[in-house]
Structures are given as C-alpha cells and as structure tokens.
Amino acid sequence: MRPTPRAGSPRTASRRRRLGRLAPPVAVFAAAALLASTAPASAAAVTPGAPYTGMGNCPLAAPAMTNPENLQVGCLVSVTNAGKFTLGSTVVPFNSPIKLQFGFYWDKSAPEVSFPDGSTANQYTVVPPTNGPLMSAPMVQITIPGIQNFLPGITSVFAQVELAGPVTKFTPLATGEPYPVFQLPIKLHLYNALFGSHCYVGSDSAPLILKPTTGITAPPAPASPMTGDPGTLGYTMDPNGHNALVISETNAAMVDNTFATPGANGCGLLGSLDQIIDWTMNLPAAPGKNSVSFQQTNASFVLDTDIADLTASLQDSAAH
C-alpha cells in the first residue's frame, strides 16, 4: 500500500523529482561489521525524535548534500539483527546487531535503473555520516578447520568485517526486484595470536563486492538462487508540516551469493600463513560458492526535495 501524497511532498514533484518505486533499503549489509570513514563534523548536533530516530549523524551540512542542484536528499538508519556470511567453507555469524547509517542524494543527472517489469527506481549517491562510522558490527568468534583452539580467548580465531571502499549504487526502492540495493566492498579482518595484526581475506584493492537484494539472486551454475524478503513497509509524512517522507521496513532480508572471495593476505610473518588459511577456508572461492544473508533487518529512510526542509524536519522532531 502506498501513502497518499500531499501538495509539496516529494511524491507530487515533477517526474525528474519523483521518488520512484517505494521499497525498503538494505541493512546490511553485511554487511557486517563495516567500520567506515566518517564525514567532517559539520552537521547539526541534534538528536532527532520520531519518525527520524537514529538519524542524528546524517551529514546534513556536507557539501554533497547541500548542492542546490540535487533533486532529492535523504538519510538512512538500519539495523540487522541476524544472518551470516559463508566464505568458502567458513561461516561468519551475525550474532550481534549491525548498524548502517548515512546520507544520500539524487543529483541533476537523475540516475535511474529499469526492471524486467518495466518499472524504474532512482539510484542515489551515498554520503558518509557525521560523527560516526558508516557501518559497525562486533567482532565474532569463528571456527576454521585445522586451526586448533587450545586456549579459548587466546588461540581463538575472531573475524570482523570492514569496509574496503565507498558504498555505491544505492537503490533502496528496488523492493522484491532481482537488483542490488547497493554495492558494498568489504574485507574480512582475521584475529589470532599467530596471525598478526594485518591478516585479511580481501583488501582495499581486491575486496569482496557484495550486491545484496530483497529479490532473487542469479549466481552462476550450479549454485542455486537465494531469495530475499522486503519485509513489511510503512510510510509516514513529517508530523510537523514539512515535506519529508519517511519509509520504514520491518523484518526484511537481504541476500547475495554472486560474489567472489579472494585469498588471505598479510597473515603471519611476511604472509607465511596465507596459503595455510586459504587451504583451510577453501579460498579463493569463485562466485556461487559464497553467500551473505542479512536477516531481521529494521530500517527507515527519509526523502525530501530540499536540504533545508529536511534539516528542519529533523531539528523540529528533536524539539517535540
């Protein structure tokens, strides 16, 4: 069900300013544990209330967001509560919440993507948040066959997902379509007493490129497709008279099994353990032999055609 637009809202703007298909954003992603760079501390220091709860680090004052030629601007906050990575033969569980937060804009070139049913959706550029990581998740303990855990907590193997580049091609309105909500480059940081402090699977120059979707994936044969879930959607117009539209999702699922996983690097003295880790984890692993599933994702994002109106929306919500 779609909301009834009111005059002046993003839904009633011209075709080039339209919102496109209303659908959920991803949470991710994966993403797991992404500890990303932050934007300059220039956004308004407010703690927004409903329906903008959690959007206090949105980079409202970033130059990319304040460009007067932008057709739309927005903020996103998302939390994934369950899921897992499977990389080769190793499973990395998501057993603690993963948070995603950032701003985004749709510029004057009005980029869109088309789907098989003939519908389209806007594609946005991501802007890192102010005063916080773009994405964060805890370190988790994993089991790697052949790596003995003689002293739990000391000889255990821990893994943490880190961002390996900018998030791109943010398409939150591709609900249920076989199209990624975004592209997310990551690397997996491995921790063990023998591995050293720079042991990774993937790198900034050779990352794992996640393309999670709420629809159906198309991995190479003989791998089977995975199916996501857009969850339950809700729509809220700004309660204080502004033109902002908030779209929320509850219990969504994002999936991907189309990405490749490179081998280990920097593990042990001068990389002496790289080949051993590759052998025990069955790496490198071609597309179709890896997967990611972001489950129980609750997210909300706001869209507006004017940065001043969006800023006022968040500030006024903090005052009530």
Side-chain angles (χ1 to χ4, degrees), residues 2-3 9-23 72-73 106 120-124 172-173 235 237 243 245 247 301-305:
R2 302 193 179 200
S9 75
R11 292 298 305 265
T12 61
S14 66
R15 181 180 182 279
R16 286 177 60 83
R17 290 175 177 259
R18 64 187 173 78
L19 295 184
R21 291 169 57 90
L22 291 178
Q72 290 178 15
V73 288
W106 196 46
T120 62
N122 299 345
Q123 191 163 87
Y124 299 87
L173 310 180
Y235 310 98
M237 294 303 301
N243 294 326
L245 171 66
I247 304 170
F301 66 99
V302 56
L303 285 170
D304 204 323
T305 57

PDB file of all heavy atoms in Angstrom, residues 2-3 9-23 72-73 106 120-124 172-173 235 237 243 245 247 301-305:
ATOM      1  N   ARG A   2       0.566   2.209  -0.850  1.00  0.00           N
ATOM      2  CA  ARG A   2       1.382   3.410  -0.938  1.00  0.00           C
ATOM      3  C   ARG A   2       0.696   4.571  -0.237  1.00  0.00           C
ATOM      4  O   ARG A   2      -0.524   4.636  -0.171  1.00  0.00           O
ATOM      5  CB  ARG A   2       1.654   3.769  -2.391  1.00  0.00           C
ATOM      6  CG  ARG A   2       2.353   2.626  -3.120  1.00  0.00           C
ATOM      7  CD  ARG A   2       2.899   3.082  -4.427  1.00  0.00           C
ATOM      8  NE  ARG A   2       3.577   1.981  -5.070  1.00  0.00           N
ATOM      9  CZ  ARG A   2       4.463   2.141  -6.025  1.00  0.00           C
ATOM     10  NH1 ARG A   2       4.804   3.336  -6.424  1.00  0.00           N
ATOM     11  NH2 ARG A   2       5.028   1.104  -6.587  1.00  0.00           N
ATOM     12  N   PRO A   3       1.484   5.526   0.318  1.00  0.00           N
ATOM     13  CA  PRO A   3       0.893   6.644   1.032  1.00  0.00           C
ATOM     14  C   PRO A   3       0.199   7.608   0.089  1.00  0.00           C
ATOM     15  O   PRO A   3       0.517   7.687  -1.091  1.00  0.00           O
ATOM     16  CB  PRO A   3       2.116   7.307   1.684  1.00  0.00           C
ATOM     17  CG  PRO A   3       3.207   7.002   0.718  1.00  0.00           C
ATOM     18  CD  PRO A   3       2.922   5.615   0.197  1.00  0.00           C
ATOM     19  N   SER A   9       4.936  17.580  -1.412  1.00  0.00           N
ATOM     20  CA  SER A   9       5.748  16.454  -0.969  1.00  0.00           C
ATOM     21  C   SER A   9       6.576  15.938  -2.128  1.00  0.00           C
ATOM     22  O   SER A   9       6.292  16.214  -3.290  1.00  0.00           O
ATOM     23  CB  SER A   9       4.844  15.332  -0.451  1.00  0.00           C
ATOM     24  OG  SER A   9       4.224  14.670  -1.541  1.00  0.00           O
ATOM     25  N   PRO A  10       7.640  15.145  -1.841  1.00  0.00           N
ATOM     26  CA  PRO A  10       8.435  14.588  -2.931  1.00  0.00           C
ATOM     27  C   PRO A  10       7.610  13.760  -3.892  1.00  0.00           C
ATOM     28  O   PRO A  10       7.939  13.637  -5.061  1.00  0.00           O
ATOM     29  CB  PRO A  10       9.464  13.726  -2.185  1.00  0.00           C
ATOM     30  CG  PRO A  10       9.545  14.320  -0.819  1.00  0.00           C
ATOM     31  CD  PRO A  10       8.162  14.826  -0.529  1.00  0.00           C
ATOM     32  N   ARG A  11       6.507  13.154  -3.434  1.00  0.00           N
ATOM     33  CA  ARG A  11       5.677  12.330  -4.300  1.00  0.00           C
ATOM     34  C   ARG A  11       4.919  13.142  -5.336  1.00  0.00           C
ATOM     35  O   ARG A  11       4.415  12.616  -6.311  1.00  0.00           O
ATOM     36  CB  ARG A  11       4.681  11.518  -3.464  1.00  0.00           C
ATOM     37  CG  ARG A  11       5.321  10.444  -2.606  1.00  0.00           C
ATOM     38  CD  ARG A  11       6.028   9.436  -3.486  1.00  0.00           C
ATOM     39  NE  ARG A  11       5.120   8.881  -4.470  1.00  0.00           N
ATOM     40  CZ  ARG A  11       4.477   7.761  -4.308  1.00  0.00           C
ATOM     41  NH1 ARG A  11       4.637   7.060  -3.228  1.00  0.00           N
ATOM     42  NH2 ARG A  11       3.664   7.301  -5.239  1.00  0.00           N
ATOM     43  N   THR A  12       4.751  14.467  -5.119  1.00  0.00           N
ATOM     44  CA  THR A  12       3.990  15.286  -6.048  1.00  0.00           C
ATOM     45  C   THR A  12       4.877  16.159  -6.919  1.00  0.00           C
ATOM     46  O   THR A  12       4.398  16.994  -7.650  1.00  0.00           O
ATOM     47  CB  THR A  12       3.011  16.190  -5.286  1.00  0.00           C
ATOM     48  OG1 THR A  12       3.763  17.048  -4.426  1.00  0.00           O
ATOM     49  CG2 THR A  12       2.038  15.369  -4.463  1.00  0.00           C
ATOM     50  N   ALA A  13       6.183  15.965  -6.848  1.00  0.00           N
ATOM     51  CA  ALA A  13       7.100  16.756  -7.662  1.00  0.00           C
ATOM     52  C   ALA A  13       7.083  16.247  -9.091  1.00  0.00           C
ATOM     53  O   ALA A  13       6.430  15.278  -9.421  1.00  0.00           O
ATOM     54  CB  ALA A  13       8.508  16.666  -7.074  1.00  0.00           C
ATOM     55  N   SER A  14       7.848  16.903  -9.976  1.00  0.00           N
ATOM     56  CA  SER A  14       7.907  16.518 -11.384  1.00  0.00           C
ATOM     57  C   SER A  14       8.509  15.127 -11.521  1.00  0.00           C
ATOM     58  O   SER A  14       9.046  14.564 -10.581  1.00  0.00           O
ATOM     59  CB  SER A  14       8.777  17.527 -12.143  1.00  0.00           C
ATOM     60  OG  SER A  14      10.114  17.436 -11.707  1.00  0.00           O
ATOM     61  N   ARG A  15       8.407  14.585 -12.749  1.00  0.00           N
ATOM     62  CA  ARG A  15       8.895  13.233 -12.971  1.00  0.00           C
ATOM     63  C   ARG A  15      10.362  13.092 -12.586  1.00  0.00           C
ATOM     64  O   ARG A  15      10.778  12.084 -12.029  1.00  0.00           O
ATOM     65  CB  ARG A  15       8.695  12.842 -14.432  1.00  0.00           C
ATOM     66  CG  ARG A  15       9.163  11.413 -14.731  1.00  0.00           C
ATOM     67  CD  ARG A  15       8.954  11.076 -16.196  1.00  0.00           C
ATOM     68  NE  ARG A  15       9.341   9.718 -16.456  1.00  0.00           N
ATOM     69  CZ  ARG A  15      10.597   9.331 -16.647  1.00  0.00           C
ATOM     70  NH1 ARG A  15      11.575  10.201 -16.597  1.00  0.00           N
ATOM     71  NH2 ARG A  15      10.876   8.061 -16.899  1.00  0.00           N
ATOM     72  N   ARG A  16      11.176  14.097 -12.869  1.00  0.00           N
ATOM     73  CA  ARG A  16      12.596  14.008 -12.549  1.00  0.00           C
ATOM     74  C   ARG A  16      12.833  14.049 -11.060  1.00  0.00           C
ATOM     75  O   ARG A  16      13.899  13.708 -10.598  1.00  0.00           O
ATOM     76  CB  ARG A  16      13.363  15.137 -13.235  1.00  0.00           C
ATOM     77  CG  ARG A  16      13.524  14.931 -14.734  1.00  0.00           C
ATOM     78  CD  ARG A  16      14.211  16.098 -15.378  1.00  0.00           C
ATOM     79  NE  ARG A  16      15.537  16.303 -14.831  1.00  0.00           N
ATOM     80  CZ  ARG A  16      16.618  15.655 -15.214  1.00  0.00           C
ATOM     81  NH1 ARG A  16      16.539  14.699 -16.101  1.00  0.00           N
ATOM     82  NH2 ARG A  16      17.793  15.923 -14.690  1.00  0.00           N
ATOM     83  N   ARG A  17      11.834  14.491 -10.277  1.00  0.00           N
ATOM     84  CA  ARG A  17      11.994  14.543  -8.831  1.00  0.00           C
ATOM     85  C   ARG A  17      11.198  13.457  -8.115  1.00  0.00           C
ATOM     86  O   ARG A  17      11.119  13.438  -6.911  1.00  0.00           O
ATOM     87  CB  ARG A  17      11.556  15.904  -8.299  1.00  0.00           C
ATOM     88  CG  ARG A  17      12.496  17.039  -8.686  1.00  0.00           C
ATOM     89  CD  ARG A  17      11.931  18.371  -8.226  1.00  0.00           C
ATOM     90  NE  ARG A  17      12.848  19.449  -8.520  1.00  0.00           N
ATOM     91  CZ  ARG A  17      13.659  20.013  -7.638  1.00  0.00           C
ATOM     92  NH1 ARG A  17      13.659  19.591  -6.403  1.00  0.00           N
ATOM     93  NH2 ARG A  17      14.476  20.987  -7.974  1.00  0.00           N
ATOM     94  N   ARG A  18      10.568  12.573  -8.902  1.00  0.00           N
ATOM     95  CA  ARG A  18       9.707  11.605  -8.255  1.00  0.00           C
ATOM     96  C   ARG A  18      10.515  10.625  -7.405  1.00  0.00           C
ATOM     97  O   ARG A  18      11.690  10.427  -7.605  1.00  0.00           O
ATOM     98  CB  ARG A  18       8.907  10.828  -9.295  1.00  0.00           C
ATOM     99  CG  ARG A  18       9.762   9.990 -10.208  1.00  0.00           C
ATOM    100  CD  ARG A  18       8.902   9.399 -11.307  1.00  0.00           C
ATOM    101  NE  ARG A  18       9.733   8.735 -12.287  1.00  0.00           N
ATOM    102  CZ  ARG A  18      10.257   7.536 -12.102  1.00  0.00           C
ATOM    103  NH1 ARG A  18      10.062   6.912 -10.972  1.00  0.00           N
ATOM    104  NH2 ARG A  18      10.993   6.993 -13.041  1.00  0.00           N
ATOM    105  N   LEU A  19       9.827   9.981  -6.480  1.00  0.00           N
ATOM    106  CA  LEU A  19      10.513   9.075  -5.580  1.00  0.00           C
ATOM    107  C   LEU A  19      10.814   7.737  -6.234  1.00  0.00           C
ATOM    108  O   LEU A  19      11.668   7.005  -5.788  1.00  0.00           O
ATOM    109  CB  LEU A  19       9.657   8.822  -4.331  1.00  0.00           C
ATOM    110  CG  LEU A  19       9.425  10.045  -3.452  1.00  0.00           C
ATOM    111  CD1 LEU A  19       8.666   9.626  -2.214  1.00  0.00           C
ATOM    112  CD2 LEU A  19      10.739  10.701  -3.088  1.00  0.00           C
ATOM    113  N   GLY A  20      10.103   7.366  -7.270  1.00  0.00           N
ATOM    114  CA  GLY A  20      10.306   6.053  -7.860  1.00  0.00           C
ATOM    115  C   GLY A  20       9.525   5.015  -7.076  1.00  0.00           C
ATOM    116  O   GLY A  20       8.612   5.329  -6.341  1.00  0.00           O
ATOM    117  N   ARG A  21       9.897   3.750  -7.222  1.00  0.00           N
ATOM    118  CA  ARG A  21       9.208   2.680  -6.517  1.00  0.00           C
ATOM    119  C   ARG A  21       9.500   2.769  -5.030  1.00  0.00           C
ATOM    120  O   ARG A  21      10.639   2.874  -4.619  1.00  0.00           O
ATOM    121  CB  ARG A  21       9.689   1.319  -7.034  1.00  0.00           C
ATOM    122  CG  ARG A  21       9.255   1.025  -8.457  1.00  0.00           C
ATOM    123  CD  ARG A  21       9.977  -0.185  -8.976  1.00  0.00           C
ATOM    124  NE  ARG A  21       9.754  -1.342  -8.110  1.00  0.00           N
ATOM    125  CZ  ARG A  21       8.756  -2.192  -8.275  1.00  0.00           C
ATOM    126  NH1 ARG A  21       7.892  -2.007  -9.243  1.00  0.00           N
ATOM    127  NH2 ARG A  21       8.619  -3.227  -7.485  1.00  0.00           N
ATOM    128  N   LEU A  22       8.464   2.686  -4.214  1.00  0.00           N
ATOM    129  CA  LEU A  22       8.656   2.710  -2.772  1.00  0.00           C
ATOM    130  C   LEU A  22       8.996   1.312  -2.299  1.00  0.00           C
ATOM    131  O   LEU A  22       8.221   0.395  -2.415  1.00  0.00           O
ATOM    132  CB  LEU A  22       7.371   3.200  -2.075  1.00  0.00           C
ATOM    133  CG  LEU A  22       7.055   4.669  -2.320  1.00  0.00           C
ATOM    134  CD1 LEU A  22       5.756   5.036  -1.637  1.00  0.00           C
ATOM    135  CD2 LEU A  22       8.185   5.546  -1.814  1.00  0.00           C
ATOM    136  N   ALA A  23      10.202   1.177  -1.750  1.00  0.00           N
ATOM    137  CA  ALA A  23      10.636  -0.115  -1.277  1.00  0.00           C
ATOM    138  C   ALA A  23      11.661   0.047  -0.201  1.00  0.00           C
ATOM    139  O   ALA A  23      12.148   1.132   0.004  1.00  0.00           O
ATOM    140  CB  ALA A  23      11.221  -0.879  -2.422  1.00  0.00           C
ATOM    141  N   GLN A  72      16.909  15.296  -4.965  1.00  0.00           N
ATOM    142  CA  GLN A  72      16.420  14.711  -3.723  1.00  0.00           C
ATOM    143  C   GLN A  72      17.585  14.506  -2.773  1.00  0.00           C
ATOM    144  O   GLN A  72      18.729  14.300  -3.210  1.00  0.00           O
ATOM    145  CB  GLN A  72      15.736  13.359  -3.961  1.00  0.00           C
ATOM    146  CG  GLN A  72      14.414  13.412  -4.681  1.00  0.00           C
ATOM    147  CD  GLN A  72      13.850  12.024  -4.910  1.00  0.00           C
ATOM    148  OE1 GLN A  72      14.287  11.045  -4.319  1.00  0.00           O
ATOM    149  NE2 GLN A  72      12.869  11.927  -5.800  1.00  0.00           N
ATOM    150  N   VAL A  73      17.291  14.567  -1.490  1.00  0.00           N
ATOM    151  CA  VAL A  73      18.273  14.264  -0.454  1.00  0.00           C
ATOM    152  C   VAL A  73      17.590  13.384   0.589  1.00  0.00           C
ATOM    153  O   VAL A  73      16.355  13.348   0.678  1.00  0.00           O
ATOM    154  CB  VAL A  73      18.827  15.541   0.220  1.00  0.00           C
ATOM    155  CG1 VAL A  73      19.747  16.301  -0.720  1.00  0.00           C
ATOM    156  CG2 VAL A  73      17.682  16.445   0.683  1.00  0.00           C
ATOM    157  N   TRP A 106      20.247  12.513  -4.812  1.00  0.00           N
ATOM    158  CA  TRP A 106      19.951  12.217  -6.216  1.00  0.00           C
ATOM    159  C   TRP A 106      20.259  13.491  -6.981  1.00  0.00           C
ATOM    160  O   TRP A 106      19.588  14.513  -6.796  1.00  0.00           O
ATOM    161  CB  TRP A 106      18.478  11.821  -6.346  1.00  0.00           C
ATOM    162  CG  TRP A 106      18.089  11.133  -7.610  1.00  0.00           C
ATOM    163  CD1 TRP A 106      18.728  10.107  -8.222  1.00  0.00           C
ATOM    164  CD2 TRP A 106      16.923  11.412  -8.394  1.00  0.00           C
ATOM    165  NE1 TRP A 106      18.032   9.712  -9.347  1.00  0.00           N
ATOM    166  CE2 TRP A 106      16.912  10.495  -9.473  1.00  0.00           C
ATOM    167  CE3 TRP A 106      15.875  12.323  -8.288  1.00  0.00           C
ATOM    168  CZ2 TRP A 106      15.911  10.478 -10.440  1.00  0.00           C
ATOM    169  CZ3 TRP A 106      14.879  12.302  -9.250  1.00  0.00           C
ATOM    170  CH2 TRP A 106      14.900  11.393 -10.317  1.00  0.00           C
ATOM    171  N   THR A 120      10.809   1.542 -12.863  1.00  0.00           N
ATOM    172  CA  THR A 120      12.131   2.114 -12.634  1.00  0.00           C
ATOM    173  C   THR A 120      12.263   2.550 -11.185  1.00  0.00           C
ATOM    174  O   THR A 120      11.282   2.667 -10.461  1.00  0.00           O
ATOM    175  CB  THR A 120      12.385   3.331 -13.543  1.00  0.00           C
ATOM    176  OG1 THR A 120      11.425   4.352 -13.232  1.00  0.00           O
ATOM    177  CG2 THR A 120      12.285   2.957 -15.014  1.00  0.00           C
ATOM    178  N   ALA A 121      13.495   2.797 -10.768  1.00  0.00           N
ATOM    179  CA  ALA A 121      13.769   3.302  -9.422  1.00  0.00           C
ATOM    180  C   ALA A 121      14.963   4.242  -9.481  1.00  0.00           C
ATOM    181  O   ALA A 121      15.879   4.063 -10.297  1.00  0.00           O
ATOM    182  CB  ALA A 121      14.044   2.154  -8.448  1.00  0.00           C
ATOM    183  N   ASN A 122      14.956   5.247  -8.626  1.00  0.00           N
ATOM    184  CA  ASN A 122      16.072   6.192  -8.556  1.00  0.00           C
ATOM    185  C   ASN A 122      17.281   5.524  -7.925  1.00  0.00           C
ATOM    186  O   ASN A 122      17.158   4.698  -7.025  1.00  0.00           O
ATOM    187  CB  ASN A 122      15.683   7.406  -7.715  1.00  0.00           C
ATOM    188  CG  ASN A 122      14.510   8.159  -8.291  1.00  0.00           C
ATOM    189  OD1 ASN A 122      14.144   7.969  -9.449  1.00  0.00           O
ATOM    190  ND2 ASN A 122      13.902   9.023  -7.487  1.00  0.00           N
ATOM    191  N   GLN A 123      18.475   5.912  -8.382  1.00  0.00           N
ATOM    192  CA  GLN A 123      19.721   5.413  -7.808  1.00  0.00           C
ATOM    193  C   GLN A 123      20.485   6.589  -7.192  1.00  0.00           C
ATOM    194  O   GLN A 123      20.743   7.585  -7.853  1.00  0.00           O
ATOM    195  CB  GLN A 123      20.560   4.719  -8.871  1.00  0.00           C
ATOM    196  CG  GLN A 123      21.740   3.959  -8.310  1.00  0.00           C
ATOM    197  CD  GLN A 123      22.284   2.975  -9.328  1.00  0.00           C
ATOM    198  OE1 GLN A 123      23.123   3.340 -10.145  1.00  0.00           O
ATOM    199  NE2 GLN A 123      21.833   1.717  -9.276  1.00  0.00           N
ATOM    200  N   TYR A 124      20.848   6.445  -5.918  1.00  0.00           N
ATOM    201  CA  TYR A 124      21.392   7.549  -5.124  1.00  0.00           C
ATOM    202  C   TYR A 124      22.890   7.388  -4.868  1.00  0.00           C
ATOM    203  O   TYR A 124      23.438   6.283  -4.905  1.00  0.00           O
ATOM    204  CB  TYR A 124      20.664   7.630  -3.782  1.00  0.00           C
ATOM    205  CG  TYR A 124      19.179   7.894  -3.904  1.00  0.00           C
ATOM    206  CD1 TYR A 124      18.277   6.850  -4.068  1.00  0.00           C
ATOM    207  CD2 TYR A 124      18.672   9.192  -3.858  1.00  0.00           C
ATOM    208  CE1 TYR A 124      16.910   7.081  -4.193  1.00  0.00           C
ATOM    209  CE2 TYR A 124      17.308   9.432  -3.969  1.00  0.00           C
ATOM    210  CZ  TYR A 124      16.437   8.372  -4.149  1.00  0.00           C
ATOM    211  OH  TYR A 124      15.085   8.609  -4.272  1.00  0.00           O
ATOM    212  N   PRO A 172      17.395   2.017  -2.918  1.00  0.00           N
ATOM    213  CA  PRO A 172      16.541   1.474  -1.857  1.00  0.00           C
ATOM    214  C   PRO A 172      15.143   1.107  -2.321  1.00  0.00           C
ATOM    215  O   PRO A 172      14.429   0.395  -1.634  1.00  0.00           O
ATOM    216  CB  PRO A 172      16.498   2.617  -0.841  1.00  0.00           C
ATOM    217  CG  PRO A 172      16.688   3.852  -1.657  1.00  0.00           C
ATOM    218  CD  PRO A 172      17.653   3.460  -2.732  1.00  0.00           C
ATOM    219  N   LEU A 173      14.732   1.599  -3.487  1.00  0.00           N
ATOM    220  CA  LEU A 173      13.367   1.384  -3.936  1.00  0.00           C
ATOM    221  C   LEU A 173      13.224   0.204  -4.884  1.00  0.00           C
ATOM    222  O   LEU A 173      12.243   0.082  -5.603  1.00  0.00           O
ATOM    223  CB  LEU A 173      12.848   2.670  -4.590  1.00  0.00           C
ATOM    224  CG  LEU A 173      13.052   3.928  -3.748  1.00  0.00           C
ATOM    225  CD1 LEU A 173      12.517   5.154  -4.453  1.00  0.00           C
ATOM    226  CD2 LEU A 173      12.405   3.774  -2.382  1.00  0.00           C
ATOM    227  N   TYR A 235       4.816   4.002   5.785  1.00  0.00           N
ATOM    228  CA  TYR A 235       5.082   5.321   5.230  1.00  0.00           C
ATOM    229  C   TYR A 235       4.535   6.386   6.186  1.00  0.00           C
ATOM    230  O   TYR A 235       3.412   6.267   6.682  1.00  0.00           O
ATOM    231  CB  TYR A 235       4.416   5.487   3.858  1.00  0.00           C
ATOM    232  CG  TYR A 235       4.704   4.346   2.920  1.00  0.00           C
ATOM    233  CD1 TYR A 235       3.793   3.310   2.762  1.00  0.00           C
ATOM    234  CD2 TYR A 235       5.897   4.306   2.211  1.00  0.00           C
ATOM    235  CE1 TYR A 235       4.058   2.261   1.904  1.00  0.00           C
ATOM    236  CE2 TYR A 235       6.173   3.257   1.350  1.00  0.00           C
ATOM    237  CZ  TYR A 235       5.257   2.234   1.200  1.00  0.00           C
ATOM    238  OH  TYR A 235       5.521   1.189   0.359  1.00  0.00           O
ATOM    239  N   MET A 237       4.374  10.739   6.657  1.00  0.00           N
ATOM    240  CA  MET A 237       4.704  12.115   6.294  1.00  0.00           C
ATOM    241  C   MET A 237       5.158  12.855   7.549  1.00  0.00           C
ATOM    242  O   MET A 237       4.762  12.521   8.673  1.00  0.00           O
ATOM    243  CB  MET A 237       3.497  12.819   5.683  1.00  0.00           C
ATOM    244  CG  MET A 237       3.052  12.242   4.340  1.00  0.00           C
ATOM    245  SD  MET A 237       4.341  12.235   3.054  1.00  0.00           S
ATOM    246  CE  MET A 237       4.750  13.969   2.927  1.00  0.00           C
ATOM    247  N   ASN A 243       7.868  18.632   4.198  1.00  0.00           N
ATOM    248  CA  ASN A 243       7.575  17.803   3.039  1.00  0.00           C
ATOM    249  C   ASN A 243       8.282  16.450   3.050  1.00  0.00           C
ATOM    250  O   ASN A 243       8.200  15.698   2.078  1.00  0.00           O
ATOM    251  CB  ASN A 243       7.955  18.546   1.757  1.00  0.00           C
ATOM    252  CG  ASN A 243       7.087  19.759   1.529  1.00  0.00           C
ATOM    253  OD1 ASN A 243       5.903  19.757   1.863  1.00  0.00           O
ATOM    254  ND2 ASN A 243       7.672  20.810   0.952  1.00  0.00           N
ATOM    255  N   LEU A 245       9.230  12.613   3.582  1.00  0.00           N
ATOM    256  CA  LEU A 245       8.505  11.344   3.629  1.00  0.00           C
ATOM    257  C   LEU A 245       9.436  10.284   4.198  1.00  0.00           C
ATOM    258  O   LEU A 245      10.551  10.096   3.707  1.00  0.00           O
ATOM    259  CB  LEU A 245       8.064  10.933   2.222  1.00  0.00           C
ATOM    260  CG  LEU A 245       7.486   9.524   2.079  1.00  0.00           C
ATOM    261  CD1 LEU A 245       6.156   9.406   2.830  1.00  0.00           C
ATOM    262  CD2 LEU A 245       7.306   9.161   0.608  1.00  0.00           C
ATOM    263  N   ILE A 247      10.089   6.313   4.967  1.00  0.00           N
ATOM    264  CA  ILE A 247       9.722   4.962   4.583  1.00  0.00           C
ATOM    265  C   ILE A 247      10.434   3.998   5.532  1.00  0.00           C
ATOM    266  O   ILE A 247      11.650   4.090   5.715  1.00  0.00           O
ATOM    267  CB  ILE A 247      10.118   4.663   3.132  1.00  0.00           C
ATOM    268  CG1 ILE A 247       9.485   5.695   2.197  1.00  0.00           C
ATOM    269  CG2 ILE A 247       9.713   3.251   2.727  1.00  0.00           C
ATOM    270  CD1 ILE A 247       9.996   5.624   0.778  1.00  0.00           C
ATOM    271  N   PHE A 301      14.258   5.269   6.117  1.00  0.00           N
ATOM    272  CA  PHE A 301      14.962   6.341   5.427  1.00  0.00           C
ATOM    273  C   PHE A 301      13.966   7.427   5.084  1.00  0.00           C
ATOM    274  O   PHE A 301      12.765   7.176   4.914  1.00  0.00           O
ATOM    275  CB  PHE A 301      15.716   5.841   4.192  1.00  0.00           C
ATOM    276  CG  PHE A 301      14.869   5.333   3.067  1.00  0.00           C
ATOM    277  CD1 PHE A 301      14.580   6.148   1.981  1.00  0.00           C
ATOM    278  CD2 PHE A 301      14.400   4.030   3.060  1.00  0.00           C
ATOM    279  CE1 PHE A 301      13.819   5.682   0.917  1.00  0.00           C
ATOM    280  CE2 PHE A 301      13.649   3.549   1.995  1.00  0.00           C
ATOM    281  CZ  PHE A 301      13.338   4.378   0.925  1.00  0.00           C
ATOM    282  N   VAL A 302      14.487   8.650   5.023  1.00  0.00           N
ATOM    283  CA  VAL A 302      13.660   9.812   4.746  1.00  0.00           C
ATOM    284  C   VAL A 302      14.084  10.414   3.415  1.00  0.00           C
ATOM    285  O   VAL A 302      15.272  10.449   3.081  1.00  0.00           O
ATOM    286  CB  VAL A 302      13.761  10.854   5.885  1.00  0.00           C
ATOM    287  CG1 VAL A 302      15.199  11.270   6.145  1.00  0.00           C
ATOM    288  CG2 VAL A 302      12.902  12.081   5.569  1.00  0.00           C
ATOM    289  N   LEU A 303      13.114  10.884   2.642  1.00  0.00           N
ATOM    290  CA  LEU A 303      13.357  11.539   1.359  1.00  0.00           C
ATOM    291  C   LEU A 303      12.747  12.929   1.370  1.00  0.00           C
ATOM    292  O   LEU A 303      11.656  13.141   1.911  1.00  0.00           O
ATOM    293  CB  LEU A 303      12.731  10.735   0.225  1.00  0.00           C
ATOM    294  CG  LEU A 303      13.434   9.441  -0.202  1.00  0.00           C
ATOM    295  CD1 LEU A 303      12.544   8.656  -1.154  1.00  0.00           C
ATOM    296  CD2 LEU A 303      14.766   9.737  -0.851  1.00  0.00           C
ATOM    297  N   ASP A 304      13.450  13.872   0.760  1.00  0.00           N
ATOM    298  CA  ASP A 304      12.951  15.245   0.635  1.00  0.00           C
ATOM    299  C   ASP A 304      13.550  15.840  -0.628  1.00  0.00           C
ATOM    300  O   ASP A 304      14.607  15.386  -1.097  1.00  0.00           O
ATOM    301  CB  ASP A 304      13.340  16.071   1.867  1.00  0.00           C
ATOM    302  CG  ASP A 304      12.413  17.256   2.106  1.00  0.00           C
ATOM    303  OD1 ASP A 304      11.975  17.875   1.117  1.00  0.00           O
ATOM    304  OD2 ASP A 304      12.140  17.574   3.281  1.00  0.00           O
ATOM    305  N   THR A 305      12.911  16.859  -1.170  1.00  0.00           N
ATOM    306  CA  THR A 305      13.452  17.527  -2.356  1.00  0.00           C
ATOM    307  C   THR A 305      14.293  18.751  -2.005  1.00  0.00           C
ATOM    308  O   THR A 305      14.840  19.392  -2.893  1.00  0.00           O
ATOM    309  CB  THR A 305      12.309  17.976  -3.285  1.00  0.00           C
ATOM    310  OG1 THR A 305      11.421  18.822  -2.561  1.00  0.00           O
ATOM    311  CG2 THR A 305      11.546  16.777  -3.819  1.00  0.00           C
TER     312      THR A 305
END
